[in-house]
Short mmCIF file of all heavy atoms in Angstrom, two decimals:
data_model
loop_
_atom_site.label_atom_id
_atom_site.label_comp_id
_atom_site.label_asym_id
_atom_site.label_seq_id
_atom_site.Cartn_x
_atom_site.Cartn_y
_atom_site.Cartn_z
N VAL W 278 127.50 98.97 91.66
CA VAL W 278 128.16 99.95 92.52
C VAL W 278 129.04 99.18 93.48
O VAL W 278 128.55 98.33 94.25
CB VAL W 278 127.14 100.82 93.29
CG1 VAL W 278 127.87 101.84 94.16
CG2 VAL W 278 126.19 101.52 92.32
N GLU W 279 130.32 99.45 93.42
CA GLU W 279 131.31 98.72 94.23
C GLU W 279 131.01 98.83 95.73
O GLU W 279 130.52 99.86 96.21
CB GLU W 279 132.70 99.29 93.93
CG GLU W 279 133.83 98.63 94.67
CD GLU W 279 135.15 99.34 94.38
OE1 GLU W 279 135.32 100.47 94.85
OE2 GLU W 279 135.97 98.75 93.67
N ALA W 280 131.32 97.79 96.47
CA ALA W 280 131.15 97.80 97.91
C ALA W 280 131.88 98.99 98.53
O ALA W 280 133.01 99.31 98.17
CB ALA W 280 131.68 96.49 98.51
N GLY W 281 131.20 99.65 99.46
CA GLY W 281 131.80 100.76 100.18
C GLY W 281 131.71 102.09 99.49
O GLY W 281 132.15 103.11 100.03
N LEU W 282 131.16 102.14 98.28
CA LEU W 282 131.11 103.39 97.51
C LEU W 282 129.75 104.04 97.63
O LEU W 282 128.73 103.42 97.32
CB LEU W 282 131.42 103.10 96.04
CG LEU W 282 131.34 104.30 95.08
CD1 LEU W 282 132.32 105.39 95.51
CD2 LEU W 282 131.60 103.86 93.65
N TYR W 283 129.72 105.30 98.05
CA TYR W 283 128.46 106.04 98.14
C TYR W 283 128.49 107.14 97.08
O TYR W 283 129.40 107.96 97.05
CB TYR W 283 128.27 106.66 99.53
CG TYR W 283 126.84 107.04 99.81
CD1 TYR W 283 126.07 106.29 100.69
CD2 TYR W 283 126.24 108.11 99.15
CE1 TYR W 283 124.75 106.61 100.93
CE2 TYR W 283 124.92 108.43 99.38
CZ TYR W 283 124.18 107.68 100.27
OH TYR W 283 122.86 108.00 100.48
N ILE W 284 127.48 107.14 96.23
CA ILE W 284 127.40 108.10 95.13
C ILE W 284 126.25 109.05 95.36
O ILE W 284 125.09 108.62 95.45
CB ILE W 284 127.21 107.38 93.78
CG1 ILE W 284 128.32 106.37 93.54
CG2 ILE W 284 127.15 108.39 92.64
CD1 ILE W 284 128.05 105.47 92.34
N THR W 285 126.53 110.33 95.46
CA THR W 285 125.48 111.35 95.52
C THR W 285 125.37 112.01 94.15
O THR W 285 126.21 111.80 93.28
CB THR W 285 125.78 112.41 96.59
OG1 THR W 285 126.95 113.15 96.17
CG2 THR W 285 126.05 111.76 97.94
N ALA W 286 124.34 112.83 93.98
CA ALA W 286 124.13 113.48 92.69
C ALA W 286 125.32 114.36 92.29
O ALA W 286 125.65 114.49 91.12
CB ALA W 286 122.85 114.29 92.71
N GLY W 287 125.98 114.95 93.29
CA GLY W 287 127.07 115.86 93.00
C GLY W 287 128.45 115.24 93.00
O GLY W 287 129.45 115.95 92.79
N THR W 288 128.53 113.93 93.21
CA THR W 288 129.83 113.24 93.23
C THR W 288 130.54 113.40 91.88
O THR W 288 129.96 113.18 90.83
CB THR W 288 129.65 111.75 93.53
OG1 THR W 288 129.05 111.59 94.82
CG2 THR W 288 130.99 111.02 93.51
N LYS W 289 131.81 113.80 91.92
CA LYS W 289 132.61 113.90 90.70
C LYS W 289 133.03 112.49 90.27
O LYS W 289 133.62 111.74 91.07
CB LYS W 289 133.85 114.76 90.94
CG LYS W 289 133.54 116.21 91.31
CD LYS W 289 133.03 116.99 90.12
CE LYS W 289 132.82 118.46 90.47
NZ LYS W 289 134.09 119.14 90.77
N VAL W 290 132.74 112.15 89.03
CA VAL W 290 133.00 110.80 88.53
C VAL W 290 133.92 110.89 87.31
O VAL W 290 133.64 111.62 86.36
CB VAL W 290 131.70 110.08 88.14
CG1 VAL W 290 132.00 108.67 87.63
CG2 VAL W 290 130.76 110.01 89.33
#
Side-chain angles (χ1 to χ4, degrees):
V278 181
E279 181 184 70
L282 177 60
Y283 199 107
I284 303 170
T285 67
T288 299
K289 298 288 184 66
V290 180

